[in-house]
Amino acid sequence: MKQGLGTQLRHLIELLDGAVQRSYVDAGLDYRPRYTPVMRALAGGQPCTVSQVAESAGITQPAATQTVALMLKEGWLVAQSSPTDARQKLLRLSPQGERLLPELQACWRATSAAASSLDADLPYPLAETLAHAIAALEQQSFDERIRKAKE
């Protein structure tokens, strides 16, 4: 039986994230792959709000909020009240996050090289195919496509 698109995508994510997670463990890091977009957004040293992190990282606000909460709890980030708006929290890397950033960047370079290797083995580069799929879904959502398919 042919697997559906959702099943294939979940399996692909499991294969990719599992390998990336093992690479962090092998490097002696207690770190989750889902932290990477947030870490990269804050790596420049400039404090950011959750909204700014979400925009910079290219993730949704709820995903950023959930990830930031985990990262604060695990000590990767620190938050302080914004001097201009006490309702907003400004995020930055904690001393732990800053200290481990070079090791993380080495892992990210290895992951990027592995992704290039995977792309070379495929008839079409995966990153390019995903970018095209995202662009197509931004033009016409999957919801719309399902509704049209039902007609």
Side-chain angles (χ1 to χ4, degrees), residues 93-117:
L93 297 182
S94 68
Q96 167 190 315
E98 288 181 13
R99 186 177 62 254
L100 294 175
L101 190 57
E103 291 178 65
L104 290 170
Q105 289 169 328
C107 289
W108 299 339
R109 284 189 298 274
T111 300
S112 180
S116 294
S117 169

Side-chain angles (χ1 to χ4, degrees), residues 1-4 7-8:
M1 183 169 118
K2 182 181 174 191
Q3 292 180 329
T7 301
Q8 290 177 314

Side-chain angles (χ1 to χ4, degrees), residues 13-112:
I13 292 295
E14 289 170 4
L15 293 171
L16 296 173
D17 271 357
V20 172
Q21 180 65 51
R22 285 186 295 281
S23 77
Y24 292 130
V25 170
D26 292 347
L29 298 169
D30 184 18
Y31 180 83
R32 301 180 195 195
R34 74 181 281 181
Y35 295 170
T36 299
V38 174
M39 290 293 287
R40 286 185 177 193
L42 295 171
Q46 193 71 10
C48 296
T49 64
V50 173
S51 296
Q52 291 167 326
V53 166
E55 184 177 332
S56 174
I59 58 178
T60 65
Q61 174 95 19
T65 299
Q66 290 175 351
T67 302
V68 162
L70 286 170
M71 294 176 76
L72 286 165
K73 183 178 175 184
E74 292 184 17
W76 288 98
L77 306 178
V78 292
Q80 63 189 44
S81 293
S82 168
T84 58
D85 184 350
R87 296 170 296 171
Q88 284 192 326
K89 298 290 184 196
L90 292 177
L91 304 166
R92 63 180 174 76
L93 297 182
S94 68
Q96 167 190 315
E98 288 181 13
R99 186 177 62 254
L100 294 175
L101 190 57
E103 291 178 65
L104 290 170
Q105 289 169 328
C107 289
W108 299 339
R109 284 189 298 274
T111 300
S112 180

